[in-house]
Amino acid sequence: MAELRGALIGCGFFAVNQMHAWRDIEGASIVAVCDRDPERLCIVGDQFGIAKRYADAAELFASERLDFVDIATTAPSHRPLVEMAARYRVPVICQKPFAPTLADAKAMVKACSDAGVPLMVHENFRWQSPIQAVRAVLDSGKIGTPFFGRVSFRSAYDVFSGQPYLAKGKRFIIEDLGIHSLDIARFLLGDVSTITTRTVRINPDIAGEDVATMLMDHKNGATSVVDCSYATKLAVEPFPETLIEIDGSDGTIRLAQGYRLTVTGKSGTKIIDVSPPLLPWASRPWHNIQESVVAIQQHWVDCLAKGTEPATSGADNLQTFALVEAAYLGAQSHEPVHLDALLK
Ligand SMILES: NC(=O)c1ccc[n+]([C@@H]2O[C@H](COP(=O)([O-])OP(=O)(O)OC[C@H]3O[C@@H](n4cnc5c(N)ncnc54)[C@H](O)[C@@H]3O)[C@@H](O)[C@H]2O)c1
């Protein structure tokens, strides 16, 4: 099969990981890059040897024959760019958070569906190999039927130096990081009917909440707690590890700091090291996330080749995005929020 021709829109902080990953992936390559900031366009174009550069996405779509576009801008530009891709009938990957609001996200899914254009959200955390290892244990049946889960991300890592915009938004940790944890909870325990949320801001220098605790009822009867914090100073900084606990009818799973996976089942306990590989271009502590970028982009190429729907398609991500919206509503009202009403 001929190699797929892709373009990247948004050459910022995280896009560099996506560009490295595209170089590792067979069956696709990036033929053009786009950014409205000439400096970022030049840095990424030079670093990855991409000669075709555009300051304006409309010009990119009008000039290039593309098999897909990878949108790595921040959320405010996602809807116009995804809708532009749909108009040009170009399959599209969009970074998380999918959109500023659930109404925007629904409109984006509809635009792509009406145009018959595949749409995947770059929701990469579930593609981290330690998280995939937890899913594999669940699928093996070793712990029986899960009835409780905890997805936890607690850190004091300075994310603001690399991503200064995170300090300015009224919404912070749920929208930026909690969104990944909520998606992992869905990935492991299924869709959610109700969510109850509490939030706090500890860091006085930021506009949004930096601590969130969410209690969820899953449709299959399981209960989970999703907790995240950027105000938690620990002896050994765990960033960016997601820690997981799952209790099942026959045993337990614990994914602990240091990528230590402990599985207890009817036949005893096994401890496995599920450390992610350090890719040649990756750097600690981001290597866990960087590896997941390769995995999700490879998944996209495989899905396009087979004509199948990506695991984190736009339609799938509406469920995760609705949890974000519901969490903010519930944090304000202190009431549980029902997901079905939001998703109607
Ligand atoms: N999945 C992950 O693990 C992960 C990690 C970090 C960031 N992100 C997400 O990636 C996205 C980008 O984050 P970032 O930190 O790289 O942001 P950034 O601000 O560093 O980069 C965004 C770039 O997009 C460009 N841009 C914005 N609107 C544009 C438009 N309409 N046309 C062309 N260029 C445009 C900006 O000039 C900028 O260079 C965010 O949505 C963020 O949440 C995801």
Side-chain angles (χ1 to χ4, degrees):
M1 208 183 82
E3 202 160 71
L4 298 175
R5 295 165 53 84
L8 176 97
I9 304 177
C11 298
F13 168 77
F14 200 70
V16 173
N17 295 314
Q18 292 168 232
M19 289 299 290
H20 276 294
W22 286 124
R23 281 213 294 213
D24 282 359
I25 285 164
E26 284 187 23
S29 62
I30 296 299
V31 298
V33 287
C34 169
D35 200 301
R36 61 187 179 193
D37 174 347
E39 196 185 339
R40 289 305 309 170
L41 189 59
C42 180
I43 289 171
V44 170
D46 286 356
Q47 185 179 353
F48 294 93
I50 311 290
K52 291 188 169 175
R53 301 174 190 182
Y54 295 87
D56 178 11
E59 221 178 288
L60 164 80
F61 282 108
S63 313
E64 296 290 333
R65 183 183 61 74
L66 298 171
D67 297 311
F68 72 93
V69 67
D70 188 8
I71 297 172
T73 60
T74 44
S77 54
H78 288 176
R79 180 170 175 182
L81 291 172
V82 166
E83 289 180 345
M84 198 182 292
R87 280 199 300 281
Y88 280 90
R89 300 273 192 281
V90 175
V92 52
I93 309 172
C94 180
Q95 253 298 349
K96 54 58 62 173
F98 193 15
T101 69
L102 184 58
D104 289 320
K106 285 178 180 171
M108 290 152 76
V109 170
K110 185 173 183 314
C112 289
S113 157
D114 288 352
V117 161
L119 164 64
M120 179 177 86
V121 177
H122 187 117
E123 178 42 78
N124 52 323
F125 269 41
R126 63 162 81 177
W127 287 98
Q128 293 171 11
S129 50
I131 310 292
Q132 291 283 326
V134 171
R135 179 71 251 180
V137 175
L138 283 174
D139 291 342
S140 75
K142 280 193 185 104
I143 71 153
T145 306
F147 60 84
F148 169 82
R150 179 177 176 206
V151 179
S152 179
F153 188 108
R154 311 193 77 79
S155 165
Y157 187 83
D158 172 23
V159 283
F160 307 109
S161 55
Q163 297 167 275
Y165 59 89
L166 292 177
K168 297 185 191 128
K170 274 197 179 143
R171 293 176 166 192
F172 168 41
I173 200 166
I174 300 174
E175 182 182 79
D176 182 65
L177 183 276
I179 195 168
H180 293 301
S181 313
L182 292 165
D183 189 70
I184 290 171
R186 281 189 56 233
F187 177 55
L188 299 176
L189 295 170
D191 282 336
V192 173
S193 51
T194 317
I195 181 169
T196 305
T197 306
R198 299 290 181 270
T199 57
V200 191
R201 179 175 61 223
I202 301 297
N203 181 346
D205 300 327
I206 66 171
E209 82 292 348
D210 52 2
V211 179
T213 309
M214 293 158 273
L215 171 70
M216 307 204 291
D217 297 305
H218 292 261
K219 288 184 174 170
N220 60 8
T223 307
S224 72
V225 175
V226 172
D227 59 290
C228 42
S229 164
Y230 272 125
T232 300
K233 300 170 181 71
L234 291 157
V236 180
E237 173 54 59
F239 181 88
E241 287 186 52
T242 299
L243 310 185
I244 291 175
E245 299 175 14
I246 299 182
D247 294 1
S249 51
D250 295 335
T252 53
I253 301 172
R254 295 291 183 269
L255 176 61
Q257 191 169 343
Y259 301 109
R260 206 171 64 133
L261 182 65
T262 304
V263 181
T264 301
K266 280 181 171 164
S267 52
T269 294
K270 218 175 170 179
I271 300 174
I272 315 157
D273 179 0
V274 289
S275 298
L278 180 66
L279 297 173
W281 50 268
S283 52
R284 292 179 194 279
W286 286 87
H287 64 299
N288 181 21
I289 293 176
Q290 287 164 320
E291 180 222 6
S292 71
V293 171
V294 178
I296 193 170
Q297 291 180 187
Q298 184 65 63
H299 175 63
W300 168 252
V301 171
D302 295 344
C303 287
L304 282 188
K306 289 186 213 139
T308 51
E309 182 166 329
T312 58
S313 65
D316 174 85
N317 198 259
L318 287 182
Q319 298 277 342
T320 295
F321 198 84
L323 283 170
V324 171
E325 199 100 324
Y328 282 112
L329 285 172
Q332 229 169 13
S333 68
H334 273 223
E335 297 288 337
V337 177
H338 298 280
L339 270 296
D340 284 348
L342 280 182
L343 281 161
K344 256 185 215 152

